[in-house]
Amino acid sequence: MSSSFYDSDWKLDGCRTKINSDETRYVWTIEDFDFHEAKGKTLISPPFSSVKNNQVKWHLELYPNGKTNAKDLVGLYIFLNKLCSFENSKTIFAKATFIIFNSENKEEAKWSLDSIKEFPHPDIKQNGWGFGDFKKDENFRNKLLLNNTLTIRCEVKFSDMNNITLHQRDIDIEMPECNLSENIASLFENQTLTDVILSVNGKEYPAHKTILAARSPVFCAMFTHSTKENELNRVDIEDINDAVMDAMLKYIYTGKCDDSNELAEGLLAAADKYDLCGLKIMCAKKLIRGLSVENATNVLILADMHHYEDLKRQVIKFIVANCSEVLNTGAWLEMLSSNSKLANDVCQAIARK
């Protein structure tokens, strides 16, 4: 008689080793770097911790001229700042990565502290870990130090190796990486199981009602009521061009947005129409980064039109700082006659300066 592997005659034993672990990310933006460079004094970040456990706190230290006060170097270190209680541990083991971004929020440089560092209790001196010899070369000046500002993200994974628990009679099987975002994006790219057509200027985009509804309250209302669009499985869109529609659908299916500033204005309008809050924020950031004397008035009108008060405040702040130039542009003079209330808001802000 054949016997199954799980018959009663068999006893399945195993063990899973579990480490109490956590991780955190922290972004540190340092403006006026040349001022700190000239002073040469160590900069210390505010303490930070993870959301899950605020008992373990860290801080960063930046040495504008390296730890040896060398003008061509810069140093960056992470310190265990506070250890109230991490399962009564006296030692933390950690891995850290420093990432520096450019003004477009793209990763420009990455340095990993690949080995595992033992951090003793912060009462013990010299518990820092990092790099003391970043070269302040042409790459650092032109790509990493943008607008005299250095933006650093620190990622720390840490654990309490003193507290290890064993769970008997349990087999530890490693879970595969979750590819949910890629899987959903492939549904759109491959047009798999689509059930609605979005028509834009004669171009048709096969899509999925459930995904559109999950991402947009406007689409959700459209597809959960007796609307023409829901009955015909077709949505005709006349106020969005092809490029904007491509970018909007990319955001809906992936959560990502194209880096092009050229689409930011059109995407902001589309995001407002379909109540895509995350996309609105992404567009606002691009518009703020691209503000200039020439386009400030038009961006202000756009923010006012779509009732985006945060963006409106930022644009008015820019105009106040550059009022002599902006108030002489053709766009401003045109707005004086077409939108006197908005112009008055700006003038009041300038008066309060």
Side-chain angles (χ1 to χ4, degrees), residues 129-352:
W129 192 31
F131 298 94
D133 56 355
F134 287 127
K135 288 287 187 180
K136 288 191 287 190
D137 53 15
E138 184 176 343
N139 180 67
F140 178 85
R141 299 286 183 188
N142 296 337
K143 290 188 176 181
L144 307 185
L145 188 63
L146 296 174
N147 298 321
N148 203 23
T149 297
L150 192 64
T151 301
I152 304 164
R153 185 169 80 185
C154 177
E155 300 178 352
V156 191
K157 295 183 178 180
F158 56 95
S159 61
D160 172 12
M161 298 291 286
N162 298 313
N163 191 333
I164 300 177
T165 59
L166 302 180
H167 301 270
Q168 297 297 329
R169 300 180 58 80
D170 188 12
I171 298 299
D172 186 16
I173 301 176
E174 184 178 354
M175 292 296 294
E177 182 180 354
C178 179
N179 297 315
L180 179 61
S181 177
E182 292 84 353
N183 296 151
I184 292 176
S186 70
L187 288 176
F188 178 71
E189 293 169 1
N190 299 326
Q191 299 183 9
T192 306
L193 301 174
T194 58
D195 55 3
V196 67
I197 295 292
L198 305 181
S199 177
V200 179
N201 300 322
K203 183 176 180 179
E204 295 188 340
Y205 297 84
H208 306 80
K209 289 182 179 180
T210 53
I211 294 176
L212 296 176
R215 300 287 279 157
S216 162
V218 176
F219 280 126
C220 183
M222 183 184 297
F223 297 136
T224 54
H225 292 82
S226 298
T227 62
K228 178 184 68 174
E229 291 82 2
N230 195 24
E231 293 175 1
L232 297 178
N233 298 322
R234 182 182 183 86
V235 182
D236 293 313
I237 302 172
E238 300 178 352
D239 54 353
I240 296 178
N241 64 41
D242 295 354
V244 170
M245 192 64 186
D246 287 335
M248 187 180 81
L249 286 173
K250 178 181 178 180
Y251 170 79
I252 287 176
Y253 278 85
T254 69
K256 299 177 182 178
C257 182
D258 290 330
D259 292 326
S260 173
N261 285 335
E262 297 176 0
L263 298 178
E265 293 190 17
L267 267 177
L268 181 66
D272 182 50
K273 177 180 179 180
Y274 291 104
D275 200 7
L276 300 168
C277 295
L279 183 58
K280 283 184 70 174
I281 293 172
M282 291 180 181
C283 293
K285 288 183 176 180
K286 293 178 187 298
L287 290 168
I288 291 169
R289 284 197 298 264
L291 276 178
S292 66
V293 169
E294 291 74 22
N295 70 11
T297 301
N298 290 332
V299 176
L300 178 63
I301 294 171
L302 185 73
D304 184 65
M305 181 187 307
H306 296 289
H307 311 289
Y308 202 154
E309 293 301 319
D310 288 341
L311 177 59
K312 183 177 174 181
R313 280 193 292 270
Q314 292 294 326
V315 180
I316 290 178
K317 183 178 178 181
F318 175 87
I319 294 176
V320 170
N322 301 273
C323 59
S324 59
E325 293 91 347
V326 175
L327 269 57
N328 283 317
T329 61
W332 172 263
L333 296 175
E334 183 178 342
M335 192 183 74
L336 279 176
S337 58
S338 61
N339 196 332
S340 58
K341 182 182 181 302
L342 187 57
N344 186 56
D345 291 343
V346 176
C347 292
Q348 288 182 4
I350 294 173
R352 291 192 299 267

Side-chain angles (χ1 to χ4, degrees), residues 29-63:
T29 301
I30 302 168
E31 300 178 347
D32 301 318
F33 184 84
D34 58 358
F35 174 78
H36 300 294
E37 190 177 28
K39 290 182 65 176
K41 292 187 177 181
T42 303
L43 300 176
I44 302 176
S45 77
F48 58 92
S49 62
S50 69
V51 174
K52 185 168 73 174
N53 190 332
N54 62 4
Q55 300 298 308
V56 183
K57 294 186 181 293
W58 309 84
H59 77 267
L60 302 178
E61 293 189 7
L62 183 108
Y63 306 90

